[in-house]
């Protein structure tokens, strides 16, 4: 894996979003040469994928609860968080 791709993979979510927003601003300005715009677009897609992956991971962590016996259990939104009823 290239050093830049490894850096993108290890980036924190907030930093990735910030970089992605900056890329969008630069591309929307219209003052970027075509070759640079293509490179920025590719980097933006990588950052977008990283953000998506991190959000999915966070969601998986949040939908798992620990029940009264200490067992991990899937969250059931229909229960409203009341697992003992």
């Amino acid at each position: 894996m290239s050093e830049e791709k490894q850096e993108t993979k290890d980036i924190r979510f907030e930093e990735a979003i910030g970089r992605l927003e900056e890329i969008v601003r630069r591309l929307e300005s219209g003052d970027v040469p075509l070759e640079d715009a293509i490179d920025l677009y590719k980097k933006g897609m990588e950052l977008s994928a990283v953000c998506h992956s991190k959000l999915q991971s966070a969601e998986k962590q949040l939908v798992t609860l620990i029940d009264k016996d200490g067992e991990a259990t899937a969250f059931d939104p229909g229960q409203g968080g009341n697992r003992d009823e």
Side-chain angles (χ1 to χ4, degrees):
M1 182 179 296
S2 76
E3 188 175 316
E4 185 175 323
K5 286 195 184 235
Q6 183 63 39
E7 177 186 324
T8 299
K9 181 180 176 196
D10 295 336
I11 194 170
R12 295 183 56 87
F13 178 80
E14 295 79 7
E15 186 177 350
I17 287 290
R19 287 184 185 181
L20 187 55
E21 289 172 346
E22 177 60 28
I23 287 171
V24 169
R25 277 192 289 277
R26 289 184 62 195
L27 290 172
E28 286 180 339
S29 76
D31 294 332
V32 181
L34 179 61
E35 291 80 9
D36 294 343
I38 292 169
D39 290 340
L40 284 170
Y41 180 82
K42 288 178 184 178
K43 181 66 174 175
M45 292 304 293
E46 289 175 16
L47 289 166
S48 176
V50 167
C51 290
H52 182 73
S53 174
K54 289 184 182 288
L55 285 173
Q56 282 187 320
S57 175
E59 181 181 27
K60 286 178 186 174
Q61 291 176 42
L62 292 173
V63 298
T64 300
L65 301 175
I66 304 299
D67 67 16
K68 64 183 177 184
D69 299 322
E71 299 291 322
T73 182
F75 174 69
D76 180 2
Q79 293 289 327
N82 298 325
R83 307 294 298 167
D84 296 331
E85 293 181 19

